[in-house]
């Protein structure tokens, strides 16, 4: 299978990671589908989509088990992202939950471990626990998800907070509130942002007239244009979820599409950028 040239995004420590990967939400729900799902993820890795995003929450660990099957024998090819649930994000809970994730994933290290969203526990305690996991060699980087700009500023104030590697947020053409403050802030920090649900979960977004018109000009699909749009600033990592080889191939090929100023303007007309602060959108 030919592999695609996937652009790289730069972490705050200057390491480069794939800017386009694979999501796994809803995988592992049905054990009869697990082998097929793992095979699709492996095909994605072969195509170059070697960043895989999962979470302890997805299918109560089932998604991590599917990812474990997919990366067996090729762990070194994959940049592995998982997430801890906020209620578990304590000094005692984080190492326990991380060990459970590592076991399901069949690996000794998670590349990037995220706090899934802000929870009831003090952030400084969570950060200290993440830092301890790094020291123990169980994770390479840590980050957060669903954090707005004010919370990111708070993270930066705690000891070790400057080591936060990313913020994973909802981002696609019809959910672009983060462009007002969070994305410029992250760019200034040299911290990449991860765009989740970059295809708008495959719903109405992909039927947009503007995306389809731009797609026609590039001999592409609306999904590919949505992904190329997410990647356009070089500081965003997109993690579309796909369940078929055809979707995977389309998504991997999207990284080659260069949108023109006219394309961007047409998308701006259909989905205007934010002119003022908006509450952080999340699923
Ligand atoms: N941090 C968070 O709170 C959070 C929240 C939500 C999601 N996430 C992560 O982000 C990932 C992606 O988000 P998502 O799964 O919500 O939605 P998404 O990636 O925006 O959309 C997935 C949907 O798009 C379809 N699709 C994929 N490629 C396509 C293509 N080329 N053409 C047409 N349709 C296509 C998929 O269909 P098929 O499955 O049939 O291919 C699926 O129905 C998740 O899987 C998860 O890993 C994180």
């Amino acid at each position: 299978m030919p592999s695609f040239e996937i652009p790289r995004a730069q972490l705050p420590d200057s390491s480069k990671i794939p800017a386009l990967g694979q999501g796994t939400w809803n995988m592992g729900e049905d054990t009869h589908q697990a082998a097929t799902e793992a095979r699709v993820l492996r095909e994605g890795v072969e195509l170059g989509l070697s960043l895989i995003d999962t979470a302890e929450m997805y299918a109560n660990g089932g998604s991590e088990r599917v990812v474990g099957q997919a990366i067996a024998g090729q762990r070194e090819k994959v940049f592995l992202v998982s997430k801890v649930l906020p209620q578990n994000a304590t000094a005692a809970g984080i190492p326990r939950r991380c060990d459970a994730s590592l076991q399901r994933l069949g690996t000794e290290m998670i590349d990037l471990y995220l706090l899934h969203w802000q929870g009831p526990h003090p952030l400084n305690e969570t950060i200290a626990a993440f830092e301890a996991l790094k020291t123990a060699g169980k994770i390479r980087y840590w980050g957060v998800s669903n954090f707005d700009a004010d919370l990111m500023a708070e993270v930066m104030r705690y000891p070790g907070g400057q080591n936060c590697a990313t913020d994973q947020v909802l981002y696609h053409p019809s959910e672009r509130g983060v462009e007002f403050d969070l994305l410029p802030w992250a760019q200034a920090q040299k911290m990449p942002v991860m765009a989740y649900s970059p295809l708008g979960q495959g719903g109405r977004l992909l039927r947009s007239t503007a995306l389809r018109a731009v797609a026609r000009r590039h001999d592409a699909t609306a999904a590919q244009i949505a992904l190329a749009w997410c990647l356009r600033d070089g500081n965003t990592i997109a993690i579309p979820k796909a369940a078929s080889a055809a979707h995977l191939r389309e998504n991997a090929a999207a990284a080659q599409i260069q949108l023109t100023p006219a394309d961007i303007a047409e998308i701006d007309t259909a989905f205007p950028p934010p002119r003022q602060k908006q509450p952080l959108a999340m699923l």
Side-chain angles (χ1 to χ4, degrees):
M1 202 181 308
S3 123
F4 291 83
E5 186 80 24
I6 302 297
R8 319 284 283 176
Q10 191 163 308
L11 293 173
D13 73 352
S14 299
S15 308
K16 303 266 176 80
I17 64 170
L20 187 57
Q22 305 186 72
T24 65
W25 194 14
N26 294 326
M27 289 189 186
E29 302 273 358
D30 175 356
T31 46
H32 296 105
Q33 291 299 316
T36 308
E37 290 166 346
R39 198 191 62 233
V40 169
L41 287 173
R42 289 177 83 92
E43 281 174 16
V45 173
E46 273 183 59
L47 288 166
L49 301 174
S50 59
L51 181 151
I52 301 182
D53 177 80
T54 182
E56 65 169 347
M57 184 184 88
Y58 302 161
N60 274 323
S63 167
E64 289 182 326
R65 279 191 206 94
V66 168
V67 173
Q69 275 188 49
I71 65 174
Q74 56 169 357
R75 171 68 186 90
E76 71 294 342
K77 287 191 192 163
V78 173
F79 189 88
L80 193 53
V81 185
S82 193
K83 313 184 196 80
V84 64
L85 279 166
Q87 61 265 34
N88 298 329
T90 58
I94 284 193
R96 234 186 357 249
R97 300 316 304 163
C98 183
D99 280 345
S101 287
L102 287 170
Q103 193 166 24
R104 288 189 290 267
L105 290 161
T107 185
E108 289 174 359
M109 182 186 267
I110 292 169
D111 294 300
L112 176 58
Y113 197 39
L114 308 179
L115 174 61
H116 211 144
W117 63 88
Q118 189 197 18
H121 304 298
L123 263 179
N124 55 345
E125 180 178 339
T126 303
I127 292 170
F130 278 152
E131 286 289 313
L133 281 183
K134 259 174 52 175
T135 307
K138 295 195 173 180
I139 64 171
R140 204 180 301 275
Y141 300 99
W142 63 267
V144 294
S145 178
N146 296 302
F147 271 36
D148 207 348
D150 55 341
L151 261 184
M152 290 310 292
E154 189 181 332
V155 167
M156 294 297 125
R157 287 199 292 271
Y158 294 122
Q162 295 278 335
N163 294 331
C164 181
T166 194
D167 185 11
Q168 185 180 114
V169 291
L170 178 63
Y171 185 50
H172 57 68
S174 67
E175 283 293 359
R176 51 191 301 191
V178 290
E179 285 177 23
F180 186 76
D181 50 357
L182 185 66
L183 297 198
W185 176 87
Q187 194 111 43
Q189 294 281 326
K190 301 193 189 312
M191 176 195 291
V193 165
M194 295 183 83
Y196 74 69
S197 307
L199 302 173
Q201 303 203 285
R204 206 165 45 163
L205 176 72
L206 301 187
R207 295 192 293 277
S208 139
T209 312
L211 290 190
R212 286 166 138 182
V214 174
R216 270 194 300 278
R217 292 204 285 275
H218 288 271
D219 197 14
T221 66
Q224 289 180 306
I225 299 304
L227 293 177
W229 182 89
C230 274
L231 300 180
R232 72 197 185 289
D233 70 356
N235 197 46
T236 301
I237 298 159
I239 46 167
K241 177 247 165 192
S244 68
H247 279 170
L248 279 177
R249 250 189 297 277
E250 255 186 57
N251 297 350
Q256 309 302 321
I257 299 172
Q258 289 296 328
L259 297 179
T260 65
D263 298 332
I264 306 265
E266 189 164 353
I267 295 170
D268 281 350
T269 304
F271 303 104
R275 288 161 172 266
Q276 58 192 25
K277 171 73 190 152
Q278 295 178 8
L280 184 71
M282 55 179 94
L283 293 181

